[in-house]
C-alpha cells in the first residue's frame, strides 16, 4: 500500500484539521449529503496538483479556503497534505516517506512542498506522473463523473488513457524537449545573427592583423638585414678609421719634421744677418793690418838708413885707418859732433814724419857726403866716428826688435783676419744651404699638405658615414627596437666571424645595395603605418575568440537541437508504441470486465485518427496549460473511440445506453485501465450510485478484485460497497458548517450513510 494518510486544513468545509489514515486496501467514506465527503476527493485532486477550478468546484482559489459559516471565522489558507509510503520507491525520489503538500492563499497564490521543501507545480506533476497519478485524474472519479470517460472527446479520452498507462511522463518530456528545442532554435538564430553582425568587423580586423603580421614579418626581415648591415658598417667604420689614421700618421709626422726643419733653416737665415758685423770686423782688421805693415816698413827703412849710415861710418873708419897709415889724417871729435848735430834733427824729423823719411834720409846722406868731400872734417875723426857708429848700432838693435815686434803683430792680425774670413765663408755656405732647405721644405710641405688634404676628404666622408650610421641606428630602433644591438653578434651564414678584412675587401657598392634594400622595406613599413598594432591584435584575438566561442556554441546548440529532435521523435515513437500496446491490453481487460458486468456482449477501444488541432502549451504560474487552436489541416492526430455491444440487445454505440449501462460501461473501462497500469490508489466518489443491488454486488466484487493492485477510497451510500471496506470514515457537519471526520463501525456507517 502506498497511500498512508491525508490531512486537510482550512480546505472548503474542513475548517479544522482533519486526518484520515488509509491503512486498509479499501477505505470507505460515508456520511449524509452535504457533509463534505466530496470535499475529501477534491482535497486529493487539489494536493495532487489539479489546476482546473471547475474540477474543484470553484471559480477562484479563494473558493477553496474555509469561508466561515455561522459564527466561525474565515481561514486565510487552505492546505492539504498527502503522505505516501515510498519504501518501494514507487515515486522516483530517495525518501522512505513522501509528503506532498499544497496550500492556497486568498490571493490565489499556491504553494507546493515536497517533504517540506518548496517546489514548483511542475516538480509535483513530474514526480506523480511516474506513479501513474497524473493530473487528468483518471483515478479520481468524482461524483456523477463515472461516465466522464465516455462523455469526453476522443482526444481527451486518449489523454486519460495515456495518463492511466503512465505515458504522461513521456508527454512531459516531449513537451519539455519541444520547449527546449524552441528555445534552442531561438538561441541558434540569435547566435547566427550575432556572428553575422560581428563578421564584417572580424573581416576588417583580420585584414588589419594580416597587415600587422606582414609588417611583423617584414620587421623580422628588416632585423636580419639590419644585423648584417650594421655589423658590416660598424666594422667598416672602425677599420677605415684605423687605415686612415695609419695613412695620416706618416705625412703628419713628416710635416712636423718639416716644420721643425723649416724653423731651423729660418733661424739660420736670420742668423746670416749677423755676418755684416763680421764684415766690419774684417775691414777693421784690414785697416789695422795696413797700419801695422806701414809701421813695419818705416822701421825697416829706418833700419836700412841706419845700416847705410853704419856702413858709411864703417867706410870712413876704414879710410881713415888707411890714410892715417897713409896720410895720418885725424878727424877731430868736434867735427863728428858737428856732423851729429847736423844729422840728428833730420833724424828726429824723420821719426816724426815717416812720409818725408826718404827725403830726409837723402838730405842727411848728402850732408854727410859733403861733409866728407869738402873736408869739412879734418884731421883725425876716427874716435868720433866710432862713437857715432856705436850709438847707431845701439839704435839698430832697438829697431830690429821693433821690426820683429811689428812683424809679429802683422802676423797675428793676419791670422785673426783669416779666421774671420773663414767664418764669413762658412756662414755664406750655411745660409745658402738654409735657403735651399727652405725651398725644399716648402715644396715638400705643400706636397704633404696636398696629400693630407686628400686624406681629410676621406676623413670627412668617414665622419659623414659615422653620422649616418648613428642616424640609421636611431631609425632602426623605431622599427626593430632593442634588437638593433644584435648586430654585435652577427656571424656569416657559415658561423664564420665577420672580419675587418672581409668587410674592407668588399666593394662599398654592395653595402649601399644593402642600405637601399633596407630603405625600401622601411618605406613599405611606413606606408603600412601603425606601431605594433597591439590594440588591433588584442581586439582581433578577443573578437575571434568570441566568434570561435559562438561557433562552438552554435555547434553545441545545433547538436542539442538535433538531440532534442531525436529525443522527441523517440519519445513520440515510444509513446505511440506503448500507447498501442497499452490500448490492446486495456481492450482485453475491458472486454473481460464488460462481460462480467453485462454477462456477455463486447466492448473495445479503437485508436482513431483525425485532423489535428493546433496545440498550444504554455507554462503559467499555475503550471502547464494546453489550449487547442483551429484545426490544422496538415496534421492528423489520434483519439480513442469506445464501441460497445450489449448482450441480447441490438444496442451499439454509447449514446443508446441507459444511465446504469453507461455507469457500468464506464466502470468496466476504468477498472480495465487500472488493471493494466495500476495506480497506487483510486478514489471513486459515488460511482456506484446508479447501480441496482445485483450490479452493486458485481461492482463490489470488481472493487475487491481491484484493491489487490490499487488502494481504494470509496465515497459511497451503498451498503454493499461499505461492506467491503476495511476502514470506514464517517463525515459529519454540524451547525457551524464545519466537516468532521471520525472512524466508524460498519453499522454506524450504514446509519451515518442514511
Ligand atoms: P452529497 O452526499 O450530497 O454529495 P457531500 O457530502 O459530498 O454531499 P460536499 O459536496 O462534499 O458534500 O460538501 C459540500 C458542502 O461543503 C456544502 O455544504 C458547502 O457549503 C460546503 N463548502 C464548500 N466550499 C466551502 C467553503 N469554501 N467554505 C465553507 N464551506 C464550504
Amino acid at each position: 500500500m502506498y497511500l498512508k494518510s491525508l490531512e486537510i486544513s482550512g480546505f472548503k468545509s474542513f475548517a479544522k484539521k482533519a486526518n484520515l489514515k488509509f491503512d486498509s486496501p479499501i477505505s470507505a467514506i460515508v456520511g449524509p449529503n452535504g457533509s463534505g465527503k466530496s470535499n475529501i476527493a477534491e482535497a486529493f485532486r487539489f494536493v495532487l496538483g489539479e489546476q482546473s477550478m471547475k474540477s474543484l468546484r470553484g471559480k477562484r482559489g479563494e473558493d477553496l479556503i474555509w469561508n466561515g459559516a455561522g459564527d466561525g471565522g474565515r481561514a486565510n489558507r487552505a492546505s492539504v497534505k498527502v503522505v505516501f509510503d515510498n519504501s518501494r520507491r514507487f515515486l522516483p525520489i530517495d525518501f522512505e516517506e513522501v509528503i506532498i503538500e499544497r496550500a492556497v492563499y486568498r490571493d490565489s497564490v499556491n504553494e507546493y512542498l515536497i517533504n517540506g521543501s518548496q517546489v514548483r507545480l511542475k516538480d509535483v506533476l513530474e514526480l506523480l506522473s511516474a506513479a501513474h497519478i497524473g493530473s487528468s485524474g483518471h483515478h479520481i472519479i468524482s461524483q456523477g463523473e463515472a461516465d466522464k470517460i465516455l462523455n469526453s472527446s476522443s482526444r481527451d479520452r486518449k489523454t486519460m488513457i495515456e495518463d492511466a498507462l503512465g505515458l504522461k511522463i513521456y508527454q512531459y518530456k516531449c513537451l519539455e524537449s519541444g520547449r527546449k528545442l524552441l528555445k534552442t532554435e531561438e538561441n541558434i538564430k540569435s547566435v547566427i545573427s550575432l556572428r553575422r553582425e560581428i563578421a564584417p568587423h572580424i573581416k576588417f580586423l583580420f585584414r588589419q592583423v594580416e597587415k600587422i603580421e606582414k609588417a611583423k614579418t617584414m620587421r623580422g626581415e628588416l632585423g636580419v638585414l639590419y644585423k648584417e648591415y650594421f655589423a658590416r658598417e660598424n666594422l667598416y667604420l672602425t677599420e677605415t678609421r684605423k687605415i686612415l689614421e695609419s695613412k695620416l700618421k706618416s705625412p703628419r709626422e713628416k710635416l712636423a719634421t718639416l716644420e721643425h726643419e723649416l724653423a731651423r733653416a729660418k733661424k739660420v737665415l736670420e742668423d746670416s744677418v749677423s755676418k755684416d758685423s763680421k764684415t766690419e770686423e774684417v775691414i777693421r782688421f784690414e785697416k789695422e793690418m795696413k797700419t801695422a805693415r806701414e809701421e813695419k816698413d818705416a822701421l825697416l827703412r829706418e833700419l836700412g838708413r841706419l845700416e847705410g849710415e853704419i856702413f858709411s861710418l864703417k867706410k870712413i873708419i876704414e879710410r881713415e885707418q888707411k890714410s892715417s897709415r897713409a896720410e895720418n889724417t885725424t878727424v877731430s871729435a868736434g867735427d863728428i859732433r858737428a856732423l851729429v848735430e847736423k844729422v840728428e834733427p833730420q833724424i828726429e824729423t824723420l821719426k816724426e814724419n815717416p812720409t818725408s823719411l826718404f827725403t830726409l834720409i837723402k838730405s842727411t846722406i848728402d850732408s854727410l857726403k859733403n861733409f866728407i868731400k869738402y873736408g869739412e872734417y879734418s884731421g883725425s875723426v876716427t874716435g868720433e866716428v866710432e862713437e857715432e857708429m856705436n850709438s847707431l848700432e845701439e839704435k839698430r838693435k832697438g829697431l830690429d826688435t821693433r821690426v820683429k815686434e811689428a812683424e809679429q803683430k802683422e802676423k797675428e792680425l793676419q791670422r785673426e783676419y783669416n779666421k774671420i774670413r773663414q767664418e764669413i765663408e762658412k756662414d755664406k755656405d750655411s745660409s745658402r744651404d738654409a735657403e735651399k732647405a727652405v725651398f725644399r721644405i716648402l715644396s715638400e710641405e705643400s706636397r704633404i699638405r696636398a696629400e693630407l688634404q686628400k686624406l681629410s676628404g676621406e676623413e670627412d666622408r668617414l665622419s659623414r658615414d659615422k653620422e649616418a650610421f648613428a642616424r640609421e641606428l636611431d631609425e632602426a630602433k623605431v622599427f626593430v627596437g632593442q634588437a638593433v644591438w644584435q648586430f654585435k653578434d652577427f656571424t656569416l651564414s657559415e658561423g664564420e666571424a665577420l672580419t675587418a678584412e672581409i668587410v674592407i675587401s668588399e666593394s662599398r657598392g654592395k653595402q649601399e645595395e644593402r642600405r637601399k634594400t633596407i630603405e625600401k622595406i622601411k618605406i613599405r613599413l611606413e606606408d603600412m603605418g601603425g606601431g605594433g598594432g597591439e590594440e588591433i591584435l588584442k581586439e582581433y584575438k578577443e573578437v575571434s575568440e568570441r566568434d570561435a566561442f559562438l561557433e562552438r556554441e552554435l555547434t553545441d546548440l545545433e547538436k542539442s537541437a538535433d538531440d532534442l529532435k531525436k529525443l522527441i521523435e523517440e519519445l513520440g515513437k515510444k509513446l505511440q508504441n506503448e500507447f498501442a500496446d497499452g490500448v490492446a491490453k486495456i481492450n482485453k481487460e475491458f472486454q473481460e470486465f464488460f462481460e462480467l458486468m453485462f454477462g456477455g456482449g463486447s466492448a473495445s477501444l479503437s485508436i482513431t485518427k483525425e485532423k489535428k488541432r493546433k496545440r498550444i502549451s504554455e507554462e503559467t504560474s499555475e503550471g502547464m496549460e494546453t489550449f487547442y487552436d483551429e484545426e490544422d489541416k496538415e496534421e492528423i492526430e489520434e483519439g480513442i473511440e469506445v464501441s460497445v455491444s450489449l448482450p441480447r440487445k441490438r444496442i451499439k454505440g454509447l449514446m443508446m445506453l441507459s444511465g446504469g449501462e453507461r455507469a457500468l460501461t464506464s466502470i468496466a473501462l476504468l477498472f480495465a485501465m487500472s488493471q493494466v497500469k495500476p495506480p497506487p490508489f483510486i478514489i471513486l466518489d459515488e460511482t456506484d450510485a446508479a447501480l441496482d443491488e445485483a450490479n452493486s454486488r458485481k461492482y463490489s466484487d470488481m472493487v475487491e478484485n481491484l484493491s489487490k493492485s490499487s488502494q481504494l477510497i470509496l465515497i459511497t451510500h451503498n451498503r454493499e460497497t461499505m461492506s467491503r471496506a476495511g476502514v470506514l470514515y464517517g463525515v459529519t457537519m454540524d451547525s457551524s458548517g464545519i466537516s468532521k471526520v471520525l472512524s466508524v463501525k460498519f453499522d454506524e456507517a450504514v446509519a451515518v450513510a442514511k
Side-chain angles (χ1 to χ4, degrees):
M1 289 191 300
Y2 304 103
L3 183 67
K4 281 174 94 175
S5 63
L6 184 80
E7 190 185 284
I8 312 170
S9 171
F11 184 81
K12 293 209 170 179
S13 55
F14 290 90
K16 286 174 186 159
K17 198 180 278 179
N19 205 320
L20 293 92
K21 285 195 167 58
F22 304 104
D23 41 20
S24 166
I26 301 170
S27 306
I29 297 166
V30 298
N33 292 133
S35 60
K37 300 184 296 297
S38 294
N39 289 345
I40 293 175
E42 270 146 25
F44 269 108
R45 280 189 192 279
F46 173 75
V47 75
L48 296 181
E50 180 59 81
Q51 295 301 307
S52 159
M53 285 306 292
K54 204 177 141 202
S55 300
L56 297 172
R57 287 186 300 165
K59 281 180 185 158
R60 299 178 300 273
E62 222 179 4
D63 297 339
L64 305 179
I65 304 169
W66 163 248
N67 204 27
D71 49 1
R74 312 197 300 168
N76 288 320
R77 177 180 189 268
S79 80
V80 179
K81 229 188 246 185
V82 63
V83 182
F84 292 106
D85 175 359
N86 197 36
S87 52
R88 279 185 277 165
R89 299 290 185 273
F90 83 105
L91 293 170
I93 178 171
D94 202 18
F95 285 100
E96 288 290 302
E97 193 179 74
V98 176
I99 304 166
I100 297 172
E101 186 179 357
R102 179 180 176 180
V104 65
Y105 295 84
R106 290 217 171 259
D107 55 5
S108 289
V109 170
N110 281 269
E111 243 174 30
Y112 300 90
L113 293 101
I114 294 177
N115 283 2
S117 303
Q118 202 154 351
V119 293
R120 293 167 299 172
L121 164 65
K122 192 173 155 253
D123 303 318
V124 175
L125 294 181
E126 273 187 29
L127 182 68
L128 294 173
S129 67
H132 330 298
I133 33 185
S135 60
S136 75
H138 67 278
H139 59 296
I140 302 173
I141 306 301
S142 298
Q143 195 177 1
E145 278 193 344
D147 60 351
K148 186 183 167 192
I149 191 156
L150 300 185
N151 296 336
S152 301
S153 69
S154 68
R155 216 203 154 279
D156 289 348
R157 212 176 282 139
K158 188 190 169 214
T159 305
M160 279 186 232
I161 286 169
E162 279 171 346
D163 215 357
L165 289 172
L167 301 179
K168 208 74 189 169
I169 186 84
Y170 298 127
Q171 279 180 344
Y172 280 128
K173 280 184 185 166
C174 229
L175 275 172
E176 177 94 5
S177 301
R179 258 197 326 272
K180 278 186 189 162
L181 182 61
L182 230 102
K183 191 91 194 145
T184 307
E185 275 164 352
E186 267 169 31
N187 287 343
I188 287 174
K189 267 186 210 160
S190 66
V191 169
I192 287 173
S193 82
L194 252 172
R195 286 191 76 198
R196 201 175 291 147
E197 255 172 52
I198 62 172
H201 190 51
I202 290 185
K203 218 169 152 186
F204 165 78
L205 286 172
F206 179 69
R207 279 200 297 271
Q208 297 294 307
V209 167
E210 253 185 348
K211 264 192 198 170
I212 291 162
E213 293 294 342
K214 203 174 167 198
K216 208 171 146 192
T217 313
M218 276 167 71
R219 224 172 266 127
E221 283 169 21
L222 191 65
V224 173
L225 291 175
Y226 263 141
K227 197 172 171 180
E228 180 166 7
Y229 176 79
F230 284 136
R232 283 180 179 274
E233 195 65 9
N234 188 40
L235 261 181
Y236 169 81
L237 291 172
T238 328
E239 198 54 24
T240 312
R241 165 56 60 193
K242 269 193 218 158
I243 293 170
L244 194 61
E245 285 300 335
S246 79
K247 275 188 193 168
L248 282 164
K249 194 179 175 235
S250 145
R252 272 178 180 162
E253 278 172 5
K254 265 191 210 160
L255 197 65
T257 315
L258 285 175
E259 270 165 7
H260 189 63
E261 280 176 16
L262 186 65
R264 226 170 37 206
K266 279 185 174 164
K267 178 93 176 36
V268 169
L269 287 176
E270 269 168 28
D271 288 352
S272 73
V273 179
S274 66
K275 82 182 172 201
D276 293 346
S277 66
K278 277 190 182 140
T279 314
E280 276 168 26
E281 226 176 319
V282 167
I283 293 164
R284 185 171 57 79
F285 268 107
E286 277 174 350
K287 257 185 202 165
E288 276 180 33
M289 273 162 66
K290 199 183 161 196
T291 316
R293 207 164 32 241
E294 279 169 357
E295 271 175 15
K296 186 192 81 182
D297 286 348
L299 287 170
L300 278 173
R301 267 190 311 274
E302 174 81 0
L303 190 66
R305 190 188 57 83
L306 266 180
E307 276 176 348
E309 232 174 291
I310 292 164
F311 184 74
S312 304
L313 289 173
K314 265 183 187 168
K315 281 296 177 201
I316 292 167
I317 293 164
E318 272 171 26
R319 216 169 42 212
E320 273 298 300
Q321 279 170 347
K322 255 181 223 170
S323 57
S324 63
R325 264 167 300 163
E327 302 169 27
N328 211 12
T329 323
T330 310
V331 178
S332 73
D335 287 341
I336 289 170
R337 219 174 281 122
L339 184 71
V340 172
E341 276 168 14
K342 204 180 168 188
V343 175
E344 216 163 36
Q346 284 173 344
I347 287 171
E348 283 309 311
T349 314
L350 189 75
K351 266 193 216 168
E352 276 163 26
N353 191 359
T355 47
S356 56
L357 200 57
F358 183 70
T359 336
L360 268 171
I361 292 171
K362 205 178 166 263
S363 71
T364 313
I365 290 165
D366 287 344
S367 305
L368 284 171
K369 251 183 228 174
N370 288 334
F371 180 77
I372 293 156
K373 203 172 172 179
Y374 298 109
E376 288 179 15
Y377 67 92
S378 60
S380 177
V381 283
T382 310
E384 281 180 33
V385 171
E386 278 179 348
E387 218 181 305
E388 179 79 18
M389 203 183 69
N390 284 339
S391 131
L392 282 179
E393 273 299 340
E394 279 299 309
K395 277 189 179 172
R396 194 185 68 128
K397 272 182 194 167
L399 265 177
D400 256 349
T401 313
R402 283 177 65 192
V403 165
K404 268 177 195 153
E405 279 173 3
E407 275 175 352
Q408 188 60 34
K409 191 182 176 187
E410 192 189 357
K411 255 188 201 166
E412 273 172 22
L413 283 170
Q414 185 65 51
R415 206 169 40 244
E416 286 291 318
Y417 174 75
N418 283 350
K419 199 178 151 201
I420 290 173
R421 288 295 306 195
Q422 262 175 8
E423 273 177 16
I424 288 174
E425 280 310 309
K426 206 177 146 200
D427 277 356
K428 270 187 187 162
D429 281 353
S430 56
S431 81
R432 242 195 328 277
D433 284 351
E435 267 173 15
K436 269 191 209 162
V438 167
F439 283 124
R440 181 183 57 77
I441 289 165
L442 288 176
S443 86
E444 185 87 340
E445 242 189 24
S446 78
R447 189 182 61 74
I448 289 170
R449 283 194 196 284
E451 203 178 316
L452 283 172
Q453 187 63 36
K454 215 171 95 193
L455 288 173
S456 106
E458 274 181 42
E459 223 177 349
D460 286 351
R461 215 169 19 253
L462 190 63
S463 60
R464 274 200 302 278
D465 283 353
K466 206 173 167 187
E467 277 166 23
F469 179 69
R471 206 169 43 241
E472 276 163 353
L473 269 178
D474 278 348
E475 279 178 23
K477 270 182 231 159
V478 176
F479 289 96
V480 297
Q482 289 306 309
V484 85
W485 302 110
Q486 283 172 3
F487 78 79
K488 293 184 171 170
D489 317 320
F490 176 77
T491 52
L492 294 168
S493 52
E494 301 81 23
E496 182 193 330
L498 181 70
T499 63
E501 227 175 22
I502 297 171
V503 171
I504 292 296
S505 65
E506 189 193 74
S507 93
R508 197 73 179 128
K510 278 207 169 172
Q511 181 73 337
E512 182 58 18
E513 272 171 31
R514 282 186 198 103
R515 197 186 61 75
K516 277 184 184 159
T517 313
I518 285 170
E519 281 307 312
K520 270 184 210 157
I521 297 177
K522 266 160 68 181
I523 290 166
R524 277 170 61 198
L525 275 171
E526 269 164 7
D527 287 349
M528 282 179 177
E534 293 308 319
E535 282 301 306
I536 298 274
L537 287 175
K538 196 174 154 229
E539 197 182 345
Y540 177 69
K541 191 171 169 262
E542 281 168 8
V543 176
S544 50
E545 268 172 7
R546 173 146 174 71
D547 187 57
F549 167 77
L550 288 173
E551 195 183 357
R552 277 200 302 279
E553 199 175 62
L554 192 63
T555 316
D556 290 353
L557 284 169
E558 278 166 349
K559 186 174 178 301
S560 63
D562 277 355
D563 288 352
L564 284 167
K565 278 179 200 160
K566 264 184 220 152
L567 181 67
I568 291 167
E569 205 185 300
E570 272 168 27
L571 286 169
K573 272 185 194 155
K574 204 164 180 173
L575 199 66
Q576 212 168 17
N577 291 340
E578 285 198 18
F579 180 66
D581 201 43
V583 168
K585 280 179 184 161
I586 291 170
N587 262 340
K588 198 171 154 271
E589 297 287 333
F590 187 25
Q591 178 62 34
E592 275 177 28
F593 278 117
F594 191 81
E595 270 180 48
L596 207 76
M597 289 280 192
F598 292 98
S602 66
S604 67
L605 301 177
S606 57
I607 301 170
T608 58
K609 290 188 192 311
E610 52 191 68
K611 282 173 189 169
K612 187 181 178 179
R613 283 176 297 160
K614 204 181 268 175
R615 180 194 274 197
I616 300 163
S617 295
E618 265 178 23
E619 191 166 350
T620 64
S621 61
E622 296 292 311
M624 287 296 298
E625 280 204 47
T626 306
F627 307 96
Y628 300 99
D629 206 355
E630 285 167 31
E631 273 191 10
D632 188 321
K633 292 171 184 72
E634 301 283 315
E635 279 187 74
I636 295 292
E637 66 179 353
E638 291 179 337
I640 289 287
E641 274 307 329
V642 185
S643 26
V644 287
S645 163
L646 292 179
R648 302 170 295 277
K649 284 190 179 172
R650 279 205 184 158
I651 290 172
K652 284 189 178 154
L654 297 173
M655 301 300 289
M656 298 165 81
L657 295 175
S658 76
E661 284 167 345
R662 275 182 79 84
L664 279 177
T665 307
S666 302
I667 290 161
L669 179 53
L670 289 171
F671 285 10
M673 277 157 65
S674 302
Q675 279 298 92
V676 175
K677 278 270 168 116
F681 63 93
I682 299 170
I683 299 166
L684 300 170
D685 189 354
E686 293 187 42
T687 315
D688 51 6
L691 304 182
D692 56 22
E693 230 181 288
N695 279 334
S696 290
R697 220 172 296 121
K698 280 181 195 169
Y699 171 83
S700 297
D701 287 344
M702 281 192 288
V703 161
E704 221 166 315
N705 201 33
L706 207 60
S707 73
K708 285 170 192 160
S709 46
S710 301
Q711 251 174 296
L712 289 169
I713 294 145
L714 309 170
I715 298 168
T716 186
H717 292 287
N718 193 309
R719 209 185 128 87
E720 183 61 41
T721 311
M722 282 182 226
S723 68
R724 312 288 173 113
V727 168
L728 283 163
Y729 284 112
V731 181
T732 54
M733 186 182 271
D734 56 20
S735 57
S736 62
I738 298 172
S739 296
K740 274 190 193 124
V741 180
L742 54 145
S743 211
V744 290
K745 300 249 163 34
F746 178 70
D747 291 338
E748 290 169 334
V750 175
V752 166
K754 284 172 182 168

